[in-house]
Amino acid sequence: MSLDGHALTPPPGSRADWTIDQDWAAYSPGEHQVWMTLYQRQAAQLPGRACDAFLNGLAALDLDRGGIPDFNQINAELGRLTGWSVVAVPGLVPDAVFFEHLANRRFPAGRFIRGPEQLDYLQEPDVFHDVFGHVPMLTDPTFADYMEAYGRGGLRALNQGQLHNLARLYWYTVEFGLLDTPQGLRIYGAGIVSSHAESRFALDDPSPNRLGFDLERLMRTPYRIDDFQQVYFVIPSLRALLDATLQDFGPVYQRLAEAHDVPIAAIKATDRVLTRGTQAHALARN
């Protein structure tokens, strides 16, 4: 993900597009063990929770090869399936760089991995969040098209000063989205599928609201980065998500400029409510 432009030039050792070599051979046995611990823990609990597109992508990319995946190996299969690739970056990158990569079917991924004492939470995305969480969904043609469209939309939003609204779309779909299926709600957001605790909380806990996806309603809703989400937006299909993105956002941004934000835990009369949450978790933390 991007860093909202805190740096203007690439750090030393980075290319002009902020990419770096993954340097897979430099990972230590301990770092590979962290990946395997995280992978095995998540893979064991995601069947019946993650959507089919994610699980199929996880299998197609064979991310359980005994340690941190080599991006070159991932890219051979990912490129064949949807034309995407994973590029290593030194950390969070400026918004314009992030959107440019997405618009050209390149997913920027951090190459570092958290320490064994950080298995349950890490503020900055690492290679496990970026690769395990995001990349399997990029094997799905519809979601792959959505991510490219989002990147192109991001470049336009930068020029129109509408990035805060568009960031909410990314947060509530790519990071923390839920999918409605005939078998029940399923996870597809990377922030959920890569989190041992939130992959349970998002589906099982009575605290959060779970609302039907509505583009403008979602883009009026703030989000929190410090805890589990208080609201999740549920898409009816990946195709519906893509179709909502393939429109001129100019009129949308004009309407949003005249509208107030919706409080994060609020439920509006026009919302399609799948779960009216108790908000008990957030209230207890506050």
Side-chain angles (χ1 to χ4, degrees):
M1 238 181 124
S2 62
L3 54 65
D4 297 326
H6 293 319
L8 298 177
T9 58
S14 302
R15 304 178 184 92
D17 63 358
W18 289 67
T19 61
I20 56 176
D21 293 330
Q22 184 191 14
D23 196 12
W24 186 86
Y27 290 118
S28 69
E31 289 173 319
H32 285 301
Q33 182 58 54
V34 168
W35 173 279
M36 289 187 287
T37 299
L38 290 167
Y39 182 97
Q40 291 163 6
R41 186 171 72 165
Q42 283 305 98
Q45 74 170 359
L46 288 181
R49 293 182 177 275
C51 70
D52 288 345
F54 179 87
L55 295 174
N56 292 340
L58 200 61
L61 296 175
D62 191 16
L63 298 182
D64 187 24
R65 305 184 192 194
I68 299 167
D70 185 329
F71 290 1
N72 290 326
Q73 293 179 346
I74 294 175
N75 288 342
E77 185 65 14
L78 188 57
R80 183 186 69 80
L81 290 169
T82 59
W84 274 79
S85 64
V86 182
V87 293
V89 292
L92 299 175
V93 301
D95 294 316
V97 173
F98 181 68
F99 294 137
E100 183 70 26
H101 281 303
L102 294 187
N104 288 280
R105 293 196 171 228
R106 299 185 298 264
F107 188 81
R111 68 179 177 184
F112 83 97
I113 193 161
R114 69 195 73 183
E117 74 285 354
Q118 299 171 300
L119 294 183
D120 291 322
Y121 179 73
L122 189 70
Q123 184 172 359
E124 183 179 350
D126 70 343
V127 69
F128 185 77
H129 169 86
D130 285 342
V131 174
F132 181 94
H134 283 283
V135 176
M137 288 297 296
L138 294 175
T139 66
D140 181 87
T142 302
F143 194 80
D145 288 348
Y146 170 66
M147 288 292 281
E148 178 187 351
Y150 184 89
R152 295 183 183 278
L155 293 173
R156 292 191 294 270
L158 278 176
N159 294 328
Q160 299 175 36
Q162 295 292 340
L163 194 58
H164 67 290
N165 291 125
L166 196 69
R168 293 170 178 178
L169 177 60
Y170 191 93
W171 188 266
Y172 281 121
T173 61
V174 179
E175 291 290 355
F176 291 96
L178 299 181
L179 171 67
D180 200 3
T181 77
Q183 294 75 38
L185 297 185
R186 294 293 185 266
I187 303 160
Y188 71 93
I192 312 177
V193 295
S194 64
S195 168
H196 186 63
E198 193 148 6
S199 56
R200 298 191 304 272
F201 179 90
L203 295 180
D204 300 342
D205 201 281
S207 295
N209 296 328
R210 299 175 182 90
L211 307 178
F213 175 84
D214 178 285
L215 179 67
E216 294 185 34
R217 163 68 162 92
L218 178 155
M219 294 173 82
R220 292 172 58 195
T221 308
Y223 55 82
R224 60 185 311 163
I225 63 172
D226 61 337
D227 203 348
F228 297 143
Q229 300 306 299
Q230 292 179 248
V231 57
Y232 297 94
F233 288 93
V234 181
I235 59 172
S237 67
L238 296 177
R239 183 72 229 183
L241 178 61
L242 174 60
D243 288 345
T245 312
L246 298 177
Q247 62 172 296
D248 179 5
F249 273 26
V252 174
Y253 291 143
Q254 290 178 3
R255 291 191 294 272
L256 291 173
E258 300 171 357
H260 297 293
D261 278 354
V262 178
I264 192 169
I267 292 180
K268 295 171 58 65
T270 53
D271 289 336
R272 184 170 67 89
V273 181
L274 285 79
T275 302
R276 184 179 293 270
T278 65
Q279 298 299 319
H281 177 83
L283 290 170
R285 294 296 293 266
N286 290 341

